[in-house]
Amino acid sequence: MRLSLVVSTSDAAFDALAFKGDLMKGVKMAKQIGYDAVEIAIRDPSTVDVEELKELLYELRMPVAAIGTGQAYLADGLSITAQDVSVRNRAMERLKSHIDFASIFNAKVIIGLVRGKRDKRALDEVLELFVESLKELADYAEKKGVELVIEPLNRYETDFLNTLEEVKSVLESLNRKNAGILADTFHMNIEEVSIEESITKCGKWIKHFHVADSNRWAPGAGHLNFASILKALHDTGYDGFVSVECLPLPGGSEASARLAFKTLQSILKEF
């Protein structure tokens, strides 16, 4: 397993980012600290200078672990389960542009907040829309050689697909080889009875992994047992990235990114 840091384009609306602001500066900081890769949260890929980013990543020898898409929901209100068909269509087009972008960097695409909320609709109705949209996106992504990862989010951020087991059930009905689970320790700490047991049960479906401590601060600043959690993940055979997505606490962006790296690296080196 290797470590990744979530960085963002300057138009990020999401607070839970260890570093948001100048994208290039964030990539350089991640490299300087010792991270193996970056994960990039992007509202709209058309706003990113792809060639400049490619040049920097090549120079630093930094791969891109995944592309975050939640800004499309937070900043632009786009959702693939929206009641308004025009909003759904725009969300689909935006996500296809994320997939195109990810294909350049051999990165995964995250389906998290962009799934939207039920908005008092029946769960079956929303899940039907979600699966229908995901099938189209997964088929599009397959042609580009891109994997999609669906992130269970806690109940305070959305009102469906809150646990790993719930996402696993959707993936089974989706039946697409290029789709899996993005497990996040912050959300699991709220929703799962046991983080380790849920990882073990859903291990074969986990294709990406987010870490933040119990308070959404940097790992090492809360009460989660990352040695136990990462051991459970390691025992499933997972060999992907462990990606830090946390508030810039304690001490600000760089200090929190350094604490996370120190905490996690000391554990991962044992594996």
Side-chain angles (χ1 to χ4, degrees):
M1 291 184 281
R2 294 174 292 164
L3 291 176
S4 171
L5 178 68
V6 178
V7 296
S8 173
T9 51
S10 59
D11 53 2
F14 189 40
D15 290 332
L17 295 169
F19 190 94
K20 65 178 182 179
D22 185 297
L23 175 58
M24 303 305 172
K25 185 178 178 181
V27 173
K28 291 176 183 176
M29 183 189 74
K31 179 67 175 182
Q32 181 185 35
I33 292 171
Y35 285 91
D36 302 296
V38 288
E39 176 182 317
I40 308 176
I42 300 175
R43 180 185 67 81
D44 185 347
S46 69
T47 65
V48 180
D49 187 327
V50 174
E51 292 307 315
E52 183 183 13
L53 180 60
K54 281 174 66 176
E55 185 176 332
L56 177 63
L57 292 169
Y58 179 78
E59 177 186 335
L60 298 178
R61 297 187 179 182
M62 287 284 277
V64 179
I67 301 298
T69 62
Q71 301 302 318
Y73 174 75
L74 288 169
D76 297 328
L78 300 181
S79 160
I80 58 174
T81 63
Q83 297 186 58
D84 187 326
V85 176
S86 67
V87 174
R88 288 206 305 273
N89 289 340
R90 285 190 287 123
M92 293 293 284
E93 289 307 307
R94 179 70 62 82
L95 285 174
K96 287 176 182 177
S97 73
H98 280 97
I99 291 167
D100 292 340
F101 186 92
S103 69
I104 299 170
F105 300 100
N106 193 32
K108 295 175 171 61
V109 170
I110 297 169
I111 308 295
L113 286 167
V114 77
R115 68 171 166 272
K117 298 180 181 180
R118 287 170 58 186
D119 293 325
K120 299 182 180 179
R121 291 171 291 172
L123 178 59
D124 288 348
E125 176 188 345
V126 178
L127 284 177
E128 185 177 350
L129 276 176
F130 182 72
V131 171
E132 178 185 325
S133 297
L134 258 292
K135 284 180 178 178
E136 182 178 337
L137 290 170
D139 290 344
Y140 182 85
E142 185 179 24
K143 296 173 185 175
K144 303 282 184 173
V146 172
E147 288 186 324
L148 305 180
V149 284
I150 304 168
E151 183 176 21
L153 300 171
N154 74 76
R155 72 195 74 177
Y156 305 109
E157 295 187 26
T158 190
D159 50 6
F160 74 110
L161 299 182
N162 306 119
T163 68
L164 270 63
E165 186 66 36
E166 288 168 350
V167 171
K168 182 171 81 73
S169 295
V170 166
L171 288 168
E172 287 171 342
S173 63
L174 183 67
N175 193 28
R176 295 295 189 275
K177 292 182 179 179
N178 64 327
I181 294 174
L182 160 53
D184 184 309
T185 59
F186 174 74
H187 299 295
M188 286 191 286
N189 184 54
I190 296 172
E191 298 294 342
E192 307 292 343
V193 174
S194 166
I195 293 175
E196 291 87 349
E197 286 182 15
S198 294
I199 289 171
T200 300
K201 288 179 181 177
C202 298
K204 74 172 187 176
W205 295 95
I206 297 175
K207 294 192 175 185
H208 194 46
F209 202 79
H210 274 175
V211 285
D213 219 317
S214 54
N215 47 13
R216 216 170 203 172
W217 290 22
H223 60 67
L224 288 185
N225 185 340
F226 283 99
S228 176
I229 290 168
L230 293 177
K231 173 68 162 55
L233 184 64
H234 174 265
D235 288 349
T236 69
Y238 180 80
D239 62 355
F241 287 102
V242 173
S243 199
V244 175
E245 183 189 57
C246 64
L247 291 166
L249 293 168
S253 300
E254 185 170 348
S256 57
R258 287 187 180 279
L259 173 60
F261 181 83
K262 180 181 178 181
T263 301
L264 299 168
Q265 183 67 10
S266 66
I267 296 168
L268 291 181
K269 70 181 182 182
E270 298 299 320
F271 302 140

